[in-house]
């Protein structure tokens, strides 16, 4: 998982990239969307805690060999704690 803030485009948001052959399997069940059906355009989703409660919202899309997520820069460290 890599974090790539882009301060020039959207300073209030930060990008996380999930890579690897098990990335889809890893994310499935932790998000409120079906990761297997993600396309190339962004979709709204949320990350849940272990009890299934929503912690915060994200925008997510598939790319070849990776999954990209955008979230508020103020809470960007939270996915590392939850996932």
């Amino acid at each position: 998982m890599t974090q790539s803030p882009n301060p020039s485009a959207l300073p209030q948001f930060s990008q996380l990239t999930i890579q690897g052959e098990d990335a889809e399997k890893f994310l499935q069940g932790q998000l409120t969307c079906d990761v297997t059906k993600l396309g190339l355009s962004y979709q709204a989703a949320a990350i849940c805690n272990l009890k299934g409660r929503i912690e915060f919202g994200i925008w997510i899309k598939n790319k070849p060999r990776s999954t990209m997520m955008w979230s508020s820069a103020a809470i960007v460290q939270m996915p590392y704690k939850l996932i």
Side-chain angles (χ1 to χ4, degrees):
M1 182 169 10
T2 60
Q3 176 183 347
S4 305
N6 187 352
S8 62
L10 298 168
Q12 69 273 26
F13 292 96
S14 188
Q15 173 189 325
L16 300 171
T17 303
I18 312 292
Q19 297 176 314
E21 63 182 58
D22 290 334
E24 185 178 280
K25 189 186 322 180
F26 176 73
L27 290 172
Q28 188 66 33
Q30 299 202 32
L31 303 177
T32 58
C33 65
D34 187 349
V35 178
T36 63
K37 295 182 181 177
L38 286 176
L40 297 176
S41 59
Y42 282 100
Q43 176 179 333
I47 292 182
C48 300
N49 64 18
L50 293 174
K51 294 183 179 181
R53 296 186 180 123
I54 293 174
E55 291 289 334
F56 62 92
I58 60 169
W59 290 95
I60 187 168
K61 77 173 184 175
N62 257 344
K63 284 184 67 177
R65 290 172 268 157
S66 67
T67 301
M68 294 176 57
M69 299 188 303
W70 284 87
S71 70
S72 169
I75 57 172
V76 76
Q77 291 301 318
M78 191 174 274
Y80 294 107
K81 295 175 186 173
L82 294 173
I83 298 178

